[in-house]
PDB file of all heavy atoms in Angstrom:
ATOM      1  N   LEU G 579      38.391 -29.720-138.452  1.00 57.00           N
ATOM      2  CA  LEU G 579      37.455 -28.632-138.224  1.00 57.00           C
ATOM      3  C   LEU G 579      36.178 -28.906-139.007  1.00 57.00           C
ATOM      4  O   LEU G 579      36.192 -29.662-139.972  1.00 57.00           O
ATOM      5  CB  LEU G 579      38.078 -27.311-138.689  1.00 57.00           C
ATOM      6  CG  LEU G 579      39.253 -26.826-137.851  1.00 57.00           C
ATOM      7  CD1 LEU G 579      39.863 -25.586-138.494  1.00 57.00           C
ATOM      8  CD2 LEU G 579      38.814 -26.508-136.442  1.00 57.00           C
ATOM      9  N   PRO G 580      35.076 -28.277-138.604  1.00 58.00           N
ATOM     10  CA  PRO G 580      33.820 -28.476-139.335  1.00 58.00           C
ATOM     11  C   PRO G 580      33.993 -28.155-140.814  1.00 58.00           C
ATOM     12  O   PRO G 580      34.711 -27.223-141.184  1.00 58.00           O
ATOM     13  CB  PRO G 580      32.879 -27.476-138.678  1.00 58.00           C
ATOM     14  CG  PRO G 580      33.465 -27.210-137.342  1.00 58.00           C
ATOM     15  CD  PRO G 580      34.952 -27.357-137.502  1.00 58.00           C
ATOM     16  N   LEU G 581      33.319 -28.943-141.665  1.00 63.00           N
ATOM     17  CA  LEU G 581      33.432 -28.736-143.097  1.00 63.00           C
ATOM     18  C   LEU G 581      32.673 -27.497-143.551  1.00 63.00           C
ATOM     19  O   LEU G 581      33.080 -26.831-144.491  1.00 63.00           O
ATOM     20  CB  LEU G 581      32.910 -29.966-143.857  1.00 63.00           C
ATOM     21  CG  LEU G 581      33.721 -31.233-143.675  1.00 63.00           C
ATOM     22  CD1 LEU G 581      33.079 -32.391-144.408  1.00 63.00           C
ATOM     23  CD2 LEU G 581      35.136 -31.023-144.190  1.00 63.00           C
ATOM     24  N   GLY G 582      31.560 -27.200-142.898  1.00 70.00           N
ATOM     25  CA  GLY G 582      30.750 -26.067-143.302  1.00 70.00           C
ATOM     26  C   GLY G 582      31.297 -24.767-142.759  1.00 70.00           C
ATOM     27  O   GLY G 582      31.938 -23.988-143.463  1.00 70.00           O
ATOM     28  N   MET G 583      31.067 -24.527-141.500  1.00 79.00           N
ATOM     29  CA  MET G 583      31.529 -23.283-140.878  1.00 79.00           C
ATOM     30  C   MET G 583      31.551 -23.459-139.383  1.00 79.00           C
ATOM     31  O   MET G 583      30.936 -24.373-138.843  1.00 79.00           O
ATOM     32  CB  MET G 583      30.613 -22.142-141.273  1.00 79.00           C
ATOM     33  CG  MET G 583      29.517 -21.957-140.277  1.00 79.00           C
ATOM     34  SD  MET G 583      28.545 -20.522-140.467  1.00 79.00           S
ATOM     35  CE  MET G 583      27.145 -21.164-139.582  1.00 79.00           C
ATOM     36  N   GLN G 584      32.218 -22.555-138.728  1.00 82.00           N
ATOM     37  CA  GLN G 584      32.164 -22.484-137.274  1.00 82.00           C
ATOM     38  C   GLN G 584      32.069 -21.026-136.875  1.00 82.00           C
ATOM     39  O   GLN G 584      32.835 -20.196-137.349  1.00 82.00           O
ATOM     40  CB  GLN G 584      33.378 -23.121-136.622  1.00 82.00           C
ATOM     41  CG  GLN G 584      33.270 -23.080-135.097  1.00 82.00           C
ATOM     42  CD  GLN G 584      34.196 -24.046-134.432  1.00 82.00           C
ATOM     43  OE1 GLN G 584      34.164 -25.215-134.736  1.00 82.00           O
ATOM     44  NE2 GLN G 584      35.013 -23.569-133.531  1.00 82.00           N
ATOM     45  N   TYR G 585      31.112 -20.747-136.038  1.00 87.00           N
ATOM     46  CA  TYR G 585      30.900 -19.405-135.524  1.00 87.00           C
ATOM     47  C   TYR G 585      31.204 -19.438-134.042  1.00 87.00           C
ATOM     48  O   TYR G 585      30.756 -20.342-133.335  1.00 87.00           O
ATOM     49  CB  TYR G 585      29.434 -19.019-135.760  1.00 87.00           C
ATOM     50  CG  TYR G 585      28.994 -17.794-135.030  1.00 87.00           C
ATOM     51  CD1 TYR G 585      29.199 -16.525-135.568  1.00 87.00           C
ATOM     52  CD2 TYR G 585      28.386 -17.897-133.788  1.00 87.00           C
ATOM     53  CE1 TYR G 585      28.800 -15.393-134.886  1.00 87.00           C
ATOM     54  CE2 TYR G 585      27.983 -16.762-133.097  1.00 87.00           C
ATOM     55  CZ  TYR G 585      28.190 -15.519-133.646  1.00 87.00           C
ATOM     56  OH  TYR G 585      27.798 -14.395-132.968  1.00 87.00           O
ATOM     57  N   THR G 586      31.985 -18.480-133.546  1.00 86.00           N
ATOM     58  CA  THR G 586      32.348 -18.436-132.132  1.00 86.00           C
ATOM     59  C   THR G 586      32.131 -17.032-131.595  1.00 86.00           C
ATOM     60  O   THR G 586      32.456 -16.051-132.248  1.00 86.00           O
ATOM     61  CB  THR G 586      33.830 -18.802-131.932  1.00 86.00           C
ATOM     62  OG1 THR G 586      34.068 -20.088-132.486  1.00 86.00           O
ATOM     63  CG2 THR G 586      34.215 -18.806-130.462  1.00 86.00           C
ATOM     64  N   ARG G 587      31.564 -16.951-130.398  1.00 89.00           N
ATOM     65  CA  ARG G 587      31.436 -15.669-129.712  1.00 89.00           C
ATOM     66  C   ARG G 587      31.889 -15.868-128.276  1.00 89.00           C
ATOM     67  O   ARG G 587      31.548 -16.853-127.637  1.00 89.00           O
ATOM     68  CB  ARG G 587      29.997 -15.187-129.745  1.00 89.00           C
ATOM     69  CG  ARG G 587      29.859 -13.836-129.029  1.00 89.00           C
ATOM     70  CD  ARG G 587      28.587 -13.157-129.334  1.00 89.00           C
ATOM     71  NE  ARG G 587      28.762 -12.399-130.571  1.00 89.00           N
ATOM     72  CZ  ARG G 587      27.826 -11.621-131.068  1.00 89.00           C
ATOM     73  NH1 ARG G 587      26.668 -11.517-130.469  1.00 89.00           N
ATOM     74  NH2 ARG G 587      28.029 -10.959-132.174  1.00 89.00           N
TER      75      ARG G 587
END
Side-chain angles (χ1 to χ4, degrees):
L579 291 174
L581 294 177
M583 92 170 158
Q584 182 162 305
Y585 167 85
T586 303
R587 180 165 274 184

